[in-house]
Amino acid sequence: MLKFSDFKPLRNMKDKAAIELYLDNPCQFIEEQFLCIDAMSGINNSLIKLFPYQKEIFENVLKRDSDGNYVYNTAYISMGKKNDKTGMATKIATYLFFTEKIDSEYVLIGNNKDQASAIAYRNFVKACTRNPRLRELVDITKTGIQRKNSFIKIFPLPHTDAANHGFSDLAFVGFDEGWGYKDSNIFLAFAKNPARKNFLTLHTTYAGPDSRVPLYKVYERGKEGTDPKMFFYCKEASFTSEEHWKEANPAPWVTMEYLKDEQLQYHDFEFNRIHLNMWNAGTDITKNRRFVTQQQVINITNPNLSPVELGNSDYRYVCGVDLGRVHDLTALAVVHKENNKVKLDRLDVWKGTKTNPVKISDVEARMKEVYHRYRCSFAIDPWQMASTIERFTKDYTFINITEVDFRSSYTEMTELLYRLINNCEIEIYPNAGVCYDSLGKQTNFQTELLDLHVKILSDGNIKFDHDSSCVNDRTTAVAMAVMKLFNSKILLPRCRVL
């Protein structure tokens, strides 16, 4: 157990003189009371040293007038990902919490309860527990933290609980990544308390998916500069070229090397939004945004590759199955990883009609055949295949079957498959998954990829999608197989190898 003597000297927060000093010196409070883990020793004895951009934010957000009241009642702090936005929100909340003199309630709000508690609130708990001078002043519970002998409290909260908050002494609301809020009710529910002279609403975020989200109005108000009670600090790249990337990333640890690596993982508009902090301000931002380019498809198509009839015991094979009995295709894809590349071994396709739908028994027979050829495990879309999953669970316990939770996996499938394609970490054989559409036109996996576009969901996440005249079933089967190959946590195990 570390003792007080193990720490660098800190001002005693029980000393009223220390609190009076900190009222006009928030950066001094942060640099004297926040402890971090020393990278070399692992001991909590390193005081934080603020960087200039952080000092600028803290000094302005927490600036007081001659009467001791805060100059601003709203602050909008926005920059690229990994620039410590949530960390700064935690420090602001901690400063207010420990220097407040009257009964107050502080709320940290995230896109969901996990985010609110796991990031901002957990950081607040760490700030208290790492510094014994702060720890002795508070009682920590699962639902919140309260200063001893007072009614000064702080709580984590998901934005979906706005209507049920019931706070009467609200003094601070911190919205983290508010671009994910679907409507403005959350902002209305936590509007300024007119009974308090000092009330602060803090937004820490990067840019949102489009101008329809409520946070965009806050962003516009800040850009206009017409609200004297709002502090607006927004670092965004003026252009997407590399020489402008650091405009949105003031933190010295966000290097060009890191950003270039991140660029390989995202679509251009997602990289621009998340790391360059550029709003996609159109009402239909998915228009003309293809999932992949023709050159990318050419790059991953290996003319020397052909379908593999039998598996190799040195490799692990996964089969993805997406069933579409009438309107969509049924696709069965087998993949394996070899020399750090995913290789497509087989892509079978069925096309059903209203008078002759695809028979589930035929698909199950093909699954059994594929298992015996490759000794593969399966990732299955449960839509229309629940009976198959139950039958295989009961009668074929030696086969590993995983059900894909589509509600939470579309974004991961999209990002993982795009990353593999963009980095040429997947190889497919020419003319894979050949089929004829209703007009007699021949299509394959390559043409399907080129027909796909990117759709942005209401929560800001993305997925590959298609127009009504196209399909995405081959892509879905391959993506499910790849996800299981990489042991994604989004998958739900239904049947284990015995």
Side-chain angles (χ1 to χ4, degrees), residues 250-265:
W253 57 83
V254 181
T255 63
M256 288 297 295
E257 181 182 7
Y258 165 77
L259 291 172
K260 288 179 180 179
D261 182 63
E262 286 291 286
Q263 187 187 36
L264 298 176
Q265 318 304 320

Side-chain angles (χ1 to χ4, degrees), residues 300 305 334-345 416-417 420 424-428 478 481-482 485-486:
I300 65 170
L305 205 63
V334 180
V335 300
H336 78 278
K337 191 174 182 182
E338 178 182 344
N339 297 327
N340 295 320
K341 278 195 174 185
V342 174
K343 296 196 175 183
L344 179 65
D345 298 291
L416 176 57
L417 186 59
L420 293 175
C424 294
E425 294 174 357
I426 185 172
E427 286 187 347
I428 63 178
V478 172
V482 167
L485 189 66
F486 282 82

Side-chain angles (χ1 to χ4, degrees), residues 199-250:
F199 183 95
L200 178 62
T201 299
L202 174 66
H203 299 274
T204 50
T205 185
Y206 48 71
D210 63 73
S211 58
R212 292 169 293 185
V213 299
L215 185 67
Y216 189 74
K217 293 183 178 179
V218 183
Y219 165 77
E220 281 191 314
R221 181 157 55 97
K223 290 281 284 187
E224 292 168 357
T226 55
D227 186 353
K229 300 295 289 181
M230 180 181 184
F231 174 66
F232 183 75
Y233 183 96
C234 181
K235 296 296 183 180
E236 52 191 340
S238 50
F239 298 96
T240 58
S241 51
E242 289 185 14
E243 61 265 29
H244 296 279
W245 286 4
K246 282 297 289 180
E247 294 174 2
N249 297 279

Side-chain angles (χ1 to χ4, degrees), residues 42-53:
I43 298 177
N44 297 353
N45 63 352
S46 293
L47 293 172
I48 284 177
K49 184 66 176 175
L50 296 175
F51 290 93
Y53 83 99

Side-chain angles (χ1 to χ4, degrees), residues 44-87:
N44 297 353
N45 63 352
S46 293
L47 293 172
I48 284 177
K49 184 66 176 175
L50 296 175
F51 290 93
Y53 83 99
Q54 295 172 313
K55 288 185 177 181
E56 180 184 354
I57 290 171
F58 294 136
E59 289 171 355
N60 280 280
V61 171
L62 301 170
K63 183 189 297 184
R64 296 174 185 267
D65 60 23
S66 57
D67 295 325
N69 299 319
Y70 292 117
V71 173
Y72 303 107
N73 58 33
T74 303
Y76 182 95
I77 312 301
S78 182
M79 60 199 78
K81 187 178 181 180
K82 297 299 181 183
N83 282 270
D84 195 41
K85 299 184 300 297
T86 302

Side-chain angles (χ1 to χ4, degrees), residues 372-392:
H372 289 295
R373 285 182 177 273
Y374 303 93
R375 287 294 188 265
C376 58
S377 55
F378 290 84
I380 299 178
D381 174 7
W383 180 248
Q384 299 189 83
M385 293 198 74
S387 59
T388 298
I389 293 172
E390 293 301 328
R391 267 193 296 276
F392 273 69

Side-chain angles (χ1 to χ4, degrees), residues 21 23 42 81 105 112 119 155 182 187 220 233 270 302 316-317 324 383 385 436 493:
L21 172 68
L23 288 177
K81 187 178 181 180
E105 294 168 313
N112 53 60
I119 302 178
F155 307 89
K182 297 180 180 180
F187 297 145
E220 281 191 314
Y233 183 96
E270 277 293 271
N302 184 346
R316 174 177 169 241
Y317 294 84
W383 180 248
M385 293 198 74
Y436 293 88

Side-chain angles (χ1 to χ4, degrees), residues 22-23 26 29 62 64 70 91-99:
Y22 288 146
L23 288 177
F29 168 87
L62 301 170
R64 296 174 185 267
Y70 292 117
K91 293 176 179 64
I92 290 171
T94 305
Y95 167 81
L96 295 172
F97 182 82
F98 283 103
T99 57

